[in-house]
Amino acid sequence: MSDVISSSFVRQDLLAERPAPVKTTGFIGLMRTRLFNSPTNILLTIVGALLLWFTIVPSVKFLMVDAVWSGKDRTACLAENAGFAVGACWPYIQAKLPQLIYGFYPEAERWRVNLTLLLAVVLLLPLLIPRLPAKSLNAGLFFVAFPVVAFFLLHGGGIKGFGLSWTAGLLQLFDESIVGAGQALLTSSRTSAVGPLLWVLGSLIVLLGTVIHWLIFPLTWLRDFIQGTGQPVWADFAVTAGIVCLIAFVLGGGVRTGGRALASSIATFIAIAIVIKLMDLDRGGLPVVTTNLWGGLLVTLVVSVTGIVTSLPIGIALALGRRSTIPLIRIFSIAFIEFWRGVPLITVLFFATYMLPLFLPGNFTVDGLVRALIGIALFTGAYQAENVRGGLAAIPRGQSEAAAALGLSWWKTTSLIVLPQGLRHVIPNLVNSFISLFKDTSLVSIVALFDLLGSLRASFADPKWSTPSTAFTGFAFAGIIYFLFCFGMSRYSLFVEHRLNAHRRN
Amino acid sequence: MSTEARKPPPQIALKIRRILGGKAGWNGVAVQFAFAAILGWIGYEIVSNARANLENQHIAAGFGFLRNNAGFDVNQTLISYTGSDTFLRVFVVGLLNTLVVSVVGIVFATVIGFIVALCRLSPNWLLSRVGEIYVEVIRNLPLLFQILFWYLAVLAALPNPRQSISLFGIAFISNRGLVIPSPIGQSGLAPFLAVLALGIVASLALRVYARRALFQRGQVIRIWPSVLALLFGLPLATMLVFGLPFTFELPQLRGFNFAGGSRIIPEFVALTVALATYTAAFIAEIVRAGILSVHKGQMEAGSSLGLSRGATLRLIVVPQAMRVIVPPLTNQYLNLTKNSSLAVAIGYPDLVSVFAGTSLSQTGQAIEIIAMTMGVYLLISLLTSAIMSVYGWRVSRSLGA
């Protein structure tokens, strides 16, 4: 017993306190573990600190400390007048701010630009916050209604007819073109070696044109009648609204289920009527401001928003075409996508500026801004098509097979099952495309449009403000604006990505 | 009594349907015909309108203008060119200028991109933040903005040639561009080049031999001393025998400008710097993602096999990362080549600037010139994507094997 007691050990006194473990959190811990834990790391830290010292400090000094904040012209920003080495020349930005934001948009009409921007923000913000409801209504308003309203707000002008007149006019143009092609074939059949064949083809086409002419005759007659009345816009509006509501009612399922479609189309037309009335579109609308007066941030935003709005449908159509089982459509989509993705945007803009006018009828002039917009829409559409295709490919086959088993048609399968899921997958990629589109809008300054960068470059030429620091100040200002937009979008894209991948996080 | 398997019915209608309409059947045939009719109509409209418009503007269509005299000068040419040369030569001059700026840009972009990627991956907190700031700032500013910034702000703010900034007394940078020493070939040039080529070929052969020995017999041959001797020792020896292969003519300030040396125009400097730094930010992200995509276990497995850290990186991590890196990296190279067309904004004489810009405004042959310009870029990108698909096929084959 005593052996056991003697061999066992019972500590009689307390252990001396050990020092606390080395702190690995907080600022001190960070310094210890990530900055100064080894000789190499110390060296790297010094290199990093030197890099920051030679970039951040001079920029802050230039932008804030040495800057001149007020003045009337260049003399305020000269070193001999200021008494120190002058940094940023902010009065220059103050003087040029209207030009950098609105271009040469008339001063009295600038409230229209502000209103449009406000409208865009009001519509866009709820669209971006995932928690808010009514996304489809919101998206419809932003992608369809807003561009139209924005056009009449920014450009001004009114309308002379409505849906019926436009449809009739388009069909008539199409018909004339077909008859023209037939006539051309008929005339060339007299001299050609395969004359009879051409003659048959030509007469067939002319016959088709004549048939179409008689088919659309009621429409054109109605149009001429409406244009003869005292209130062409409202008469046309009423007729169009009636026809469209009727079609929606019938397509929606007639008396049994068509009530919903009827109600929504009536609501849409009432909204359109209110907009027309508010903006006086039937009586000439707002004063016209031609696009060569637009400039600055306004053009940058118009080009990028139009690009975003138009490229998405083009991209979806091309992506569906590329997956289509119909050979011709698939080949066409592949060729179209690869062509636009293979050439630089600047050549596309050159194409739109110099080549497109040659392809249109001679009496048909297209505005310079619209030409650039067409080029950008086609170019971005091809890129979006590849993004959308990635999303469509991510949907398991079972989804569309299940839809087919339920008896849904191709259109319903695509629009109700495949597209909504596929597009959700690729929202981050789409937003990334929008970022590069936003950056690429600066290229329109090369084809003589004055966007933010173009206006900035134009403002450098002003002798009233030419100082050694003018260029740096201008670039700093424009750079901050571009950075804010792009950085904001990229953060949003990260946020959405995080949200979509929430189930994969561990 | 045996029953022969009956031949299937010919099903001619089915076959026709399949050929014409693909999987979609008769519906597909109808859609295709409608689509072809619409395309034909659009094509007819385009051709007839273009013909009428060209007639109105008195422009003769066709490529005959390529043989006419251009009559304007280009301020950077790699091949001899004067104003009396043809538009075809302008096209070649522009194309070569595009290729030069792309190749130089690609080299610098790759170097900067890898350095920034290493910074971002560094365990050092401050350095990785510096890399992150670089990437975020550069990626969120338009490329044209950066080109104009370098050209209009930075290069324009440089002093004139008389007060130019000297880089070690051999190169001078001023607002007129960069002046560097120009090499002048001497008598020893031919043997030097021949020996250098021989050395490169011999070291490649040695490498192939060493690999074969490693894979077939498991024999490790150390080749780097002989490669070093072949690539540096041999040319040095030739230099001692035949004299210097070339000497450098140093630029010297005479009056208001430099004499001697070769001058790199400021447009080239601005464009290269902007393209390289811009693309480097994207390359850095690609490289970083590629290295992060290799699982941590690979590194641990390598060290548990007793490989050193360097050998693990070289033999295990980098080859796997390269598989992820190479396709998007090529894409960035292609982007850089296409982005070099922004040269037109600052007047660097690349393809778009001299051909689609100056030549177009002189001749008015919009359709031909823009088609040729687009064709060049399209050809480059289609070639690249063809090479990349071969690469992807080889990678997937090697993975499957």
Side-chain angles (χ1 to χ4, degrees), chain A residues 34 41 45 49 177 181 326 328 341-342 344 346 350 354 358-361 383 439 442 457 475 479 486-487 491, chain B residues 32 41 44-46 49-50 53 123-126 136 139-141 144-145 278 338 341 345 356 360 377 381:
Chain A
R34 307 273 316 266
N41 237 352
T45 307
S177 160
I326 300 169
L328 188 65
R341 278 164 52 94
I346 188 69
F350 271 79
Y354 297 114
L358 291 178
F359 291 163
L360 296 171
Y383 278 84
K439 290 192 290 177
S442 57
R457 213 179 164 177
F475 278 116
C486 296
F487 191 71
R491 286 298 114 163
Chain B
Q32 278 196 86
W41 176 63
Y44 162 77
E45 277 291 302
I46 285 178
N49 286 334
N53 284 328
N124 187 300
W125 181 83
L126 191 66
E136 286 297 341
R139 277 206 314 182
N140 285 319
L141 291 176
L144 185 64
F145 172 89
Y278 182 77
K338 286 195 279 179
S341 59
L360 174 58
Y377 286 104
S381 53

Side-chain angles (χ1 to χ4, degrees), chain B residues 4 13 42 261 289:
Chain B
E4 290 279 311
I42 292 175

Side-chain angles (χ1 to χ4, degrees), chain B residues 68-374:
Chain B
N68 296 351
N69 281 352
F72 59 87
D73 272 327
V74 177
N75 60 356
Q76 180 193 314
T77 55
L78 291 181
I79 52 176
S80 71
Y81 169 83
T82 58
S84 57
D85 276 319
T86 59
F87 280 111
L88 190 62
R89 196 144 178 104
V90 172
F91 175 75
V92 178
V93 165
L95 183 58
L96 286 178
N97 281 341
T98 293
L99 292 180
V100 155
V101 80
S102 310
V103 169
V104 175
I106 282 173
V107 171
F108 280 114
T110 313
V111 173
I112 302 174
F114 273 78
I115 292 174
V116 175
L118 290 182
C119 282
R120 285 208 68 180
L121 288 168
S122 144
N124 187 300
W125 181 83
L126 191 66
L127 209 56
S128 73
R129 284 296 92 76
V130 170
E132 198 179 328
I133 292 174
Y134 174 83
V135 169
E136 286 297 341
V137 169
I138 296 280
R139 277 206 314 182
N140 285 319
L141 291 176
L143 176 59
L144 185 64
F145 172 89
Q146 299 187 30
I147 292 176
L148 290 180
F149 172 73
W150 288 106
Y151 185 64
L152 293 178
V154 177
L155 285 187
L158 287 175
N160 58 18
R162 286 179 69 87
Q163 280 107 35
S164 58
I165 302 162
S166 156
L167 305 172
F168 311 112
I170 48 172
F172 298 91
I173 187 162
S174 65
N175 59 6
R176 294 277 198 75
L178 180 69
V179 187
I180 54 168
S182 58
I184 296 171
Q186 300 285 343
S187 58
L189 185 62
F192 176 79
L193 285 181
V195 166
L196 194 65
L198 188 78
I200 291 172
V201 170
S203 11
L204 282 180
L206 211 59
R207 188 183 134 86
V208 169
Y209 170 72
R211 296 221 93 178
R212 196 164 289 167
L214 177 67
F215 287 147
Q216 287 178 353
R217 304 195 296 276
Q219 183 187 3
V220 181
I221 303 174
R222 181 169 292 178
I223 59 165
W224 65 263
S226 28
V227 167
L228 215 61
L230 277 172
L231 285 186
F232 293 98
L234 217 52
L236 269 178
T238 356
M239 252 200 262
L240 289 178
V241 177
F242 290 97
L244 286 176
F246 41 75
T247 51
F248 285 102
E249 188 195 22
L250 290 181
Q252 247 131 34
L253 193 62
R254 297 244 175 82
F256 289 104
N257 217 335
F258 283 97
S262 35
R263 193 172 76 94
I264 298 175
I265 55 174
E267 289 83 11
F268 182 87
V269 177
L271 190 62
T272 316
V273 170
L275 282 176
T277 48
Y278 182 77
T279 316
F282 290 87
I283 290 180
E285 284 301 273
I286 289 169
V287 172
R288 174 168 164 266
I291 290 179
L292 286 181
S293 77
V294 180
H295 199 267
K296 208 170 73 181
Q298 298 284 325
M299 194 81 194
E300 293 166 358
S303 52
S304 75
L305 284 175
L307 294 177
S308 70
R309 195 183 142 81
T312 321
L313 275 178
R314 192 160 50 85
L315 297 175
I316 295 177
V317 177
V318 170
Q320 296 188 63
M322 277 323 249
R323 222 172 46 215
V324 182
I325 291 173
V326 167
L329 190 66
T330 333
N331 218 353
Q332 287 304 325
Y333 289 164
L334 198 60
N335 275 349
L336 190 147
T337 311
K338 286 195 279 179
N339 283 337
S340 71
S341 59
L342 290 181
V344 67
I346 57 171
Y348 172 74
D350 83 320
L351 181 64
V352 173
S353 178
V354 293
F355 198 61
T358 321
S359 302
L360 174 58
S361 61
Q362 289 211 351
T363 59
Q365 305 274 1
I367 296 181
E368 295 85 356
I369 285 180
I370 291 175
M372 277 172 81
T373 313
M374 282 181 153

Side-chain angles (χ1 to χ4, degrees), chain A residues 205-224:
Chain A
I205 292 178
V206 171
L207 190 69
L208 182 74
T210 323
V211 169
I212 292 179
H213 176 76
W214 286 109
L215 276 181
I216 63 173
F217 180 73
L219 267 181
T220 45
W221 176 82
L222 201 59
R223 185 212 24 206
D224 293 341

